Amino acid sequence: MTNYADWVERFPGLSRLDLPTKQLLTTRSTIVSIPKDTMVFGPGESPENMLFLLDGTVRVQQVSETGHLIVLYRIEAGQSCVLTTACLLAYDDYSAEGIAESVVKAAAIPREVFDDLVAGSKPFRDFVFAAFSKRITDLFLMIDEVAFQRLDVRLADRLLKLSGGADKVATTHQKLSVELGTAREVISRQLQEFQRRGWIEQARGSVSLVDREQLQTLANHNS
Amino acid sequence: MTNYADWVERFPGLSRLDLPTKQLLTTRSTIVSIPKDTMVFGPGESPENMLFLLDGTVRVQQVSETGHLIVLYRIEAGQSCVLTTACLLAYDDYSAEGIAESVVKAAAIPREVFDDLVAGSKPFRDFVFAAFSKRITDLFLMIDEVAFQRLDVRLADRLLKLSGGADKVATTHQKLSVELGTAREVISRQLQEFQRRGWIEQARGSVSLVDREQLQTLANHNS
DNA sequence: AATGTTTGGTGACAATGTCACTGAACCATG
DNA sequence: CATGGTTCAGTGACATTGTCACCAAACATT
């Protein structure tokens, strides 16, 4: 079992905090463990705490009234759910949900402590606003992508990102369609085309990236 | 000439502030006037101040590398550009721009004052986080819309919103295509269909809403 | 009146989304 | 290992939306 007592130090954005602030974070936070495939937040599931992810990733996706799904972004270790708490408590007609993609370890801090920290620490304020800013600019880019980017480009890009450098991506056509907010059939057709060009190999539940170069070239095509 | 000295009082989100905070806002802010069609912020145009809009509207749109445009949202009187400042200073590879759609009157407060206010006033913090939250949830909804909503539904909805209750919307097909992030030809075709059904009348540079009921029904269709 | 610019219309085609259906691969169970 | 249910992927027809290359009318300027 890993020791998470010094988690603040390992947080890139938080290491610059002054000692009292760090101590406040450490003493007032609880380390929680979230099982894989659990809904971290979502409709009817407002989290009372703000989370700092220490391990694992949370996938945030929009649940459309049309029955569709689309992945909005992921929260990785070293990032925080600032907006999770802030947003979702403020507006209850949201329709996004956060799902643990693996076992997630996180430091949970109560809302009041968060508020105190924002009030009392300039570096913490900067951390929070930087997180918000990054999120919003990323959402801008995502809207751009969804509205204007060709699907083959987006798919190539997503395959490379999901691979994380590995040769094989363990996923289904269905899951890939949710990544891009499109239909499974569309993914199937695109992957067939990639395969025909010799860029990938397919197996049930996985895609092997054979020619990363070509995929990268396509992905860079306007992006 | 309107007197803007008491602008804080007329701001829904700020009226709850305590007196010293209000005074700080009043004394440290400058009332600025921005001509119509001016770029308020954008690539290479980082604003040093945070704006509270007193009059007019700012249209924020994404400028895509593909040469396309899409309207992200509007900042109306009574709202603030919290994210404008926060975001755009933090990440300089943004590609959104804010354009004054009319003469805009705004109270400008310097970054440091903003920071002091966030630190010192709980109601101000709440105001700021509420603004961020609202923005982010709205962007979620927008992604949903762009990805999954049919174009006729979106167009009907946008026409009604742009009309602001009036019978006529003064706009061009080109401008409407930017509203929805689509092509002019697509707008032309949809408007022709609406006209064929007797819901609108068209003239050069304007669309008359003849049957709001029907438009509203379509707009509500999954939304 | 002549000219250039803005606005909108059109048809052909490409890209993407939807629907209904099929079959193969995998899984749990007796 | 045979069986049946479930997940995963393939297919063709069709609808919707995006792109391109034009054209013509309305408007503004001179």
Side-chain angles (χ1 to χ4, degrees):
Chain A
M1 168 108 191
T2 320
N3 179 18
Y4 288 111
D6 65 335
W7 66 269
V8 173
E9 292 304 329
R10 300 187 299 167
F11 238 79
L14 300 180
S15 50
R16 256 177 290 165
L17 299 186
D18 50 305
L19 194 55
T21 310
K22 283 181 183 174
Q23 286 172 337
L24 192 58
L25 265 175
T26 308
T27 58
R28 299 292 307 273
S29 66
T30 326
I31 305 294
V32 298
S33 183
I34 302 164
K36 183 175 175 176
D37 294 328
T38 311
M39 186 181 291
V40 180
F41 62 87
E45 197 78 22
S46 296
E48 273 308 302
N49 299 307
M50 193 174 90
L51 299 179
F52 288 84
L53 282 217
L54 305 176
D55 223 344
T57 72
V58 173
R59 183 181 70 243
V60 179
Q61 55 197 15
Q62 171 77 9
V63 186
S64 178
E65 294 184 356
T66 61
H68 292 115
L69 280 180
I70 183 170
V71 173
L72 295 167
Y73 54 87
R74 285 181 168 78
I75 305 161
E76 316 269 349
Q79 300 177 345
S80 74
C81 295
V82 182
L83 47 92
T84 299
T85 317
C87 288
L88 302 185
L89 292 184
Y91 294 90
D92 49 6
D93 66 337
Y94 64 95
S95 45
E97 58 183 21
I99 303 209
E101 287 198 306
S102 59
V103 177
V104 167
K105 305 283 184 185
I109 68 170
R111 256 176 98 63
E112 319 83 67
V113 178
F114 172 75
D115 196 63
D116 289 349
L117 286 164
V118 170
S121 166
K122 167 89 165 113
F124 191 81
R125 271 198 297 283
D126 290 345
F127 172 82
V128 168
F129 283 120
F132 266 110
S133 303
K134 175 75 170 137
R135 189 57 68 215
I136 288 182
T137 52
D138 281 355
L139 287 173
F140 284 2
L141 285 178
M142 174 161 179
I143 288 170
D144 191 320
E145 205 189 284
V146 171
F148 303 127
Q149 198 78 277
R150 289 182 50 108
L151 206 83
D152 50 359
V153 175
R154 296 174 60 207
L155 179 56
D157 184 61
R158 193 55 68 109
L159 282 173
L160 289 168
K161 279 186 181 141
L162 287 174
S163 80
D167 286 343
K168 208 195 272 190
V169 182
T171 187
T172 66
H173 295 190
Q174 177 64 53
K175 283 176 185 167
L176 286 171
S177 74
V178 171
E179 293 287 334
L180 303 182
T182 181
R184 179 190 55 80
E185 299 92 314
V186 177
I187 297 290
S188 297
R189 287 195 294 237
Q190 291 290 351
L191 287 181
Q192 273 173 46
E193 176 61 18
F194 287 175
Q195 188 168 35
R196 196 190 61 75
R197 297 185 197 167
W199 297 356
I200 64 166
E201 287 296 329
Q202 295 194 65
R204 184 186 169 95
S206 78
V207 177
S208 299
L209 309 187
V210 177
D211 193 339
R212 299 181 87 85
E213 293 279 328
Q214 293 291 330
L215 286 170
Q216 190 65 63
T217 303
L218 179 58
N220 289 341
H221 212 274
N222 292 321
S223 167
Chain B
M1 169 109 193
T2 320
N3 179 17
Y4 289 110
D6 66 335
W7 66 268
V8 174
E9 292 304 329
R10 299 188 300 170
F11 239 80
L14 299 181
S15 50
R16 256 177 290 165
L17 299 186
D18 51 303
L19 194 55
T21 310
K22 283 180 183 176
Q23 285 171 339
L24 191 60
L25 265 174
T26 309
T27 57
R28 299 291 308 273
S29 66
T30 326
I31 305 295
V32 298
S33 183
I34 302 163
K36 184 175 172 174
D37 294 328
T38 311
M39 187 182 289
V40 179
F41 62 88
E45 195 81 21
S46 297
E48 274 309 302
N49 299 307
M50 192 175 91
L51 300 180
F52 288 84
L53 284 218
L54 307 175
D55 224 343
T57 73
V58 173
R59 183 182 69 245
V60 179
Q61 56 198 15
Q62 171 77 9
V63 186
S64 178
E65 294 183 356
T66 61
H68 293 117
L69 280 180
I70 182 170
V71 173
L72 296 168
Y73 54 86
R74 285 181 167 78
I75 306 160
E76 315 270 349
Q79 301 177 345
S80 72
C81 294
V82 181
L83 48 92
T84 299
T85 316
C87 287
L88 302 185
L89 292 185
Y91 294 91
D92 50 4
D93 66 336
Y94 64 95
S95 46
E97 59 183 21
I99 305 212
E101 286 198 304
S102 58
V103 177
V104 168
K105 305 285 184 184
I109 69 171
R111 257 176 96 66
E112 319 84 66
V113 178
F114 173 75
D115 196 62
D116 289 349
L117 286 164
V118 170
S121 166
K122 166 89 165 115
F124 191 80
R125 271 197 298 282
D126 291 344
F127 172 81
V128 168
F129 283 120
F132 266 110
S133 303
K134 175 75 171 139
R135 188 58 67 214
I136 289 181
T137 52
D138 281 355
L139 287 173
F140 284 3
L141 285 179
M142 175 160 179
I143 288 170
D144 190 320
E145 204 189 284
V146 171
F148 303 127
Q149 198 78 278
R150 290 183 49 105
L151 206 84
D152 50 359
V153 175
R154 296 174 61 208
L155 180 55
D157 184 61
R158 193 55 68 109
L159 282 174
L160 288 168
K161 278 185 181 141
L162 287 174
S163 78
D167 287 343
K168 210 196 271 187
V169 182
T171 188
T172 66
H173 294 189
Q174 179 64 54
K175 283 177 184 166
L176 285 170
S177 75
V178 171
E179 293 287 334
L180 304 182
T182 182
R184 179 191 55 79
E185 299 92 315
V186 177
I187 297 290
S188 297
R189 288 196 293 237
Q190 290 291 351
L191 288 181
Q192 273 174 48
E193 177 59 19
F194 287 174
Q195 189 169 35
R196 196 190 61 75
R197 297 184 197 167
W199 298 355
I200 63 166
E201 287 297 327
Q202 295 194 65
R204 185 187 169 95
S206 77
V207 177
S208 299
L209 310 187
V210 176
D211 193 339
R212 300 181 86 85
E213 294 279 327
Q214 294 289 329
L215 287 170
Q216 190 64 63
T217 303
L218 178 57
N220 290 342
H221 212 274
N222 292 323
S223 168

